[in-house]
Amino acid sequence: MAAKAKSSESLLLRYLVLGAWAVFCLAPILWFLSIGLRPRTEIIAAQPIYWPSFSLDAWDMIWTDWPMGNYLRNSVVAVGGSVVIDLLLAIPAAYSLARYNYRFREDIGFYILSTRMMAPAIVAIPIFFLFRQCGLLDSVWALMLVYAAINLSLVTWIIRSYMLDIPHEIEDAARTDGASDLRILVSIIVPMCLPGIITAAVIAVIFAVNEFLFTLLIASTKNAYTLSVALANFTGGSDGIIYNAIALVAFLAFVPIMLLVVLIQKHLSRGLTMGAVKG
């Protein structure tokens, strides 16, 4: 009986600690949401208002006065397209680096990873002139290509590291049955590397959503603005800083990523621990 009571107390203490930690983590998110649903007059009041009133002024503002639908669409197309490009290029490249033996293979792998260490400001101006010559400035397609180029090395390295965990005997058995390298990659390697691929894709999404320098450089008008650049539109002009609109847009930009990570946290944690730190 004493052991059972002690176990119950330990379980209760664990739930209390986890509950406190959950409140601590969710407090900034809920605070942003509360600011976004307040009237602007209450936010800039000289004295703090502990029981704010509810208002949808900021919600109406971002959908009527600003083309928030276009910003959201641009973000989804640019980020989603860049991840698709990264996966289409990174999976064959990672398989080559992980399975084939050829000259300078390790040097090529290190070079691919080293490109991620380059400061973005170094290549910002050349990329700007390149896209201007190609007529791609102020377009979602340019953002898609830039995001894909920025994250391609990291995605390749994560997937390659995960492929190193797969035993060679599985592929040898498939080759004995007459399977080609392409069939082995599509039917065996990719399904077994799925947690690592999901991990790489989610990390690419997070980095692409957070990218601001190239987005601001390439998207010169609202035609190609994403949510990260749209936030800057609420911090100037004759109306001053529109705090409730900033908070609401930041909340809308953050919550989908958080939900995505929560939904696939099993694959994400497994991919990070089993493949991303090897090799």
Side-chain angles (χ1 to χ4, degrees):
M1 184 66 68
K4 185 176 181 180
K6 186 176 180 180
S7 177
S8 300
E9 292 177 359
S10 176
L11 185 62
L12 178 60
L13 179 61
R14 183 183 304 176
Y15 281 129
L16 289 176
V17 172
L18 291 176
W21 179 250
V23 171
F24 177 79
C25 293
L26 294 176
I29 304 173
L30 298 177
W31 180 254
F32 259 76
L33 180 60
S34 68
I35 294 177
L37 298 179
R38 295 185 193 180
R40 191 183 178 195
T41 54
E42 292 187 1
I43 299 173
I44 61 177
Q47 299 296 327
I49 300 175
Y50 297 103
W51 299 102
S53 58
F54 176 79
S55 175
L56 291 176
D57 293 342
W59 179 266
D60 295 335
M61 180 186 301
I62 64 175
W63 293 106
T64 57
D65 297 343
W66 284 274
M68 191 55 57
N70 294 337
Y71 298 157
L72 183 60
R73 184 190 67 239
N74 292 340
S75 297
V76 173
V77 173
V79 173
S82 69
V83 173
V84 171
I85 294 174
D86 281 336
L87 293 180
L88 290 177
L89 296 177
I91 291 176
Y95 183 68
S96 173
L97 293 172
R99 284 297 187 261
Y100 296 142
N101 292 318
Y102 48 85
R103 194 177 181 185
F104 303 124
R105 184 188 69 169
E106 297 299 328
D107 295 333
I108 293 173
F110 177 76
Y111 171 76
I112 291 174
L113 182 63
S114 65
T115 58
R116 192 65 180 85
M117 306 174 189
M118 184 185 303
I122 297 177
V123 295
I125 301 303
I127 287 179
F128 174 81
F129 284 108
L130 175 63
F131 281 139
R132 189 178 69 174
Q133 289 296 112
C134 296
L136 292 175
L137 280 181
D138 196 30
S139 67
V140 180
W141 307 108
L143 295 177
M144 187 186 304
L145 293 175
V146 168
Y147 295 162
I150 292 174
N151 297 318
L152 180 59
S153 58
L154 185 62
V155 173
T156 302
W157 196 260
I158 292 176
I159 298 176
R160 167 195 174 272
S161 301
Y162 204 87
M163 287 181 178
L164 293 175
D165 290 332
I166 300 177
H168 290 269
E169 290 76 11
I170 299 177
E171 299 172 57
D172 294 338
R175 288 192 178 92
T176 303
D177 294 336
S180 63
D181 288 352
L182 181 60
R183 180 65 180 271
I184 292 173
L185 176 62
V186 174
S187 301
I188 298 176
I189 302 298
V190 170
M192 295 185 67
C193 289
L194 191 58
I197 294 174
I198 294 175
T199 299
V202 171
I203 292 176
V205 168
I206 293 174
F207 277 116
V209 169
N210 291 333
E211 176 56 43
F212 182 78
L213 174 62
F214 288 105
T215 307
L216 187 62
L217 186 68
I218 294 173
S220 56
T221 67
K222 296 181 179 180
N223 295 330
Y225 278 177
T226 60
L227 288 179
S228 61
V229 177
L231 284 170
N233 293 333
F234 300 102
T235 59
S238 58
D239 295 331
I241 301 176
I242 310 175
Y243 293 102
N244 52 353
I246 294 174
L248 192 56
V249 174
F251 178 82
L252 294 177
F254 171 76
V255 168
I257 303 300
M258 183 188 70
L259 294 178
L260 176 63
V261 173
V262 170
L263 290 175
I264 64 170
Q265 60 180 331
K266 179 180 178 181
H267 294 289
L268 188 62
S269 59
R270 185 186 174 198
L272 287 173
T273 55
M274 292 187 62
V277 297
K278 182 179 177 183

